[in-house]
Amino acid sequence: MKLVRYGEPGRERPALLDAAGVLRDLSGIVPDIAGAALLPEGLAAIRAADPASLPKVEGSPRIGACIGGVGKFICVGLNYSDHAAESGMAIPDEPVLFMKPPNCIVGPYDNVEIPRGSQKTDWEVELGIVIGKTAKYVSVENAYDHVAGYCVINDVSERHFQLERGGQWDKGKGCDTFGPIGPWLVTTDEITDPHVLDMWLEVDGKRYQNGSTRTMIFNVPFIVSYISKFMSLQPGDIISTGTPPGVGLGQKPPVYLTAGQTMRLSIAGLGEQQQTTVAAA
């Protein structure tokens, strides 16, 4: 299934995308694509509904982030060997973890703000894992049982804030609008293997990232199991799993975003995003 949230920010409604590409409202089945709706029984209730019997969403509403009420937005850094090389950093022995605050989350077509004082705002197309069942000390073998599905994430980053302002990476990762998510949550039954997905990102029509999840260092079940040893994961938590090479930091010379540009990005089977960059008010 492809699950969607549509409507104005803070007032999104749940929907699914049917086989014909039509949005069907799910408000009569679940209150939101969040929390209990992502449990196995919640997804089963959605799956049991006949899409043709659900109300059609009229017009062209705004598409919001595909997950609501996110508790934790956890990211894995340097998880692609070729991206680590372009960044001049060693391949990690264990996953590098950092957090993005949930308030950075926006829809897949919403504007991305260039923060005040920004010198090096950058892009990163990433595979997102959406947790569907509480995970605490889970094994690698059982990790998939705790995954509801996958989505596209643009892990927007300000490299000057991240790497040159002292302290942790979070300063350059959590600015408002730095977490476009969606357009869809694609449930695991539609993605046979999340480690063979092509992914790309363009800025103003120029393709900078053109990679694949095949080059991930730590795979999906390992990541879920690993993180669950340090913190419990709840339904609706999101894990962003790292980016392939081609980020602005890795260009020679580096290239960074300015206001008035357009980013387009996609992962095979998970849909496409597009954002315009604007100066922060």
Side-chain angles (χ1 to χ4, degrees), residues 113-128:
E113 295 181 358
I114 305 297
R116 294 182 185 181
S118 170
Q119 300 177 25
K120 300 178 179 180
T121 298
D122 204 348
W123 56 82
E124 296 187 24
V125 57
E126 305 203 1
L127 171 70

Side-chain angles (χ1 to χ4, degrees), residues 219-240:
N219 66 18
V220 168
F222 183 90
I223 288 169
V224 172
S225 174
Y226 181 85
I227 294 174
S228 78
K229 293 176 171 61
F230 299 97
M231 64 192 84
S232 62
L233 299 168
Q234 281 80 41
D237 285 349
I238 298 171
I239 304 170
S240 199

Side-chain angles (χ1 to χ4, degrees), residues 80-244:
Y80 286 68
S81 55
D82 34 12
H83 171 56
E86 74 170 351
S87 301
M89 299 179 183
I91 294 175
D93 295 324
E94 296 188 43
V96 175
L97 303 182
F98 62 91
M99 309 283 277
K100 290 173 82 85
N103 63 281
C104 79
I105 294 172
V106 292
Y109 311 114
D110 291 343
N111 292 339
V112 165
E113 295 181 358
I114 305 297
R116 294 182 185 181
S118 170
Q119 300 177 25
K120 300 178 179 180
T121 298
D122 204 348
W123 56 82
E124 296 187 24
V125 57
E126 305 203 1
L127 171 70
I129 304 168
V130 179
I131 298 299
K133 185 169 70 171
T134 297
K136 183 175 182 180
Y137 299 117
V138 300
S139 67
V140 170
E141 293 75 17
N142 294 327
Y144 278 127
D145 295 339
H146 300 265
V147 177
Y150 306 97
C151 61
V152 180
I153 295 175
N154 189 354
D155 175 21
V156 185
S157 310
E158 213 294 341
R159 305 300 189 187
H160 177 63
F161 296 175
Q162 175 190 355
L163 302 172
E164 301 171 38
R165 295 286 297 272
Q168 302 296 313
W169 285 9
D170 303 57
K171 280 190 263 187
K173 294 288 189 172
C175 301
D176 290 350
T177 74
F178 270 24
I181 294 176
W184 318 310
L185 163 64
V186 181
T187 51
T188 54
D189 56 297
E190 292 202 13
I191 304 297
T192 304
D193 185 352
H195 309 108
V196 293
L197 306 178
D198 293 334
M199 55 206 305
W200 56 264
L201 182 145
E202 298 176 350
V203 179
D204 291 341
K206 179 176 179 178
R207 185 158 296 193
Y208 284 95
Q209 292 190 272
N210 199 18
S212 169
T213 57
R214 293 174 180 85
T215 62
M216 292 171 66
I217 299 166
F218 304 107
N219 66 18
V220 168
F222 183 90
I223 288 169
V224 172
S225 174
Y226 181 85
I227 294 174
S228 78
K229 293 176 171 61
F230 299 97
M231 64 192 84
S232 62
L233 299 168
Q234 281 80 41
D237 285 349
I238 298 171
I239 304 170
S240 199
T241 58
T243 197

Side-chain angles (χ1 to χ4, degrees), residues 4-91:
V4 185
R5 298 171 70 247
Y6 72 96
E8 295 306 307
R11 301 176 62 186
E12 291 93 346
R13 297 168 63 92
L16 64 77
L17 192 71
D18 71 15
V22 175
L23 280 182
R24 299 283 182 168
D25 188 274
L26 287 170
S27 299
I29 299 174
V30 293
D32 199 358
I33 307 300
L38 298 170
L39 291 167
E41 52 268 34
L43 294 178
I46 297 172
R47 192 172 285 111
D50 176 9
S53 70
L54 299 172
K56 184 184 298 187
V57 177
E58 301 295 343
S60 301
R62 168 187 173 269
I63 302 300
C66 58
I67 305 298
V70 175
K72 292 189 288 296
F73 191 169
I74 306 160
C75 301
V76 183
L78 302 175
N79 194 31
Y80 286 68
S81 55
D82 34 12
H83 171 56
E86 74 170 351
S87 301
M89 299 179 183
I91 294 175

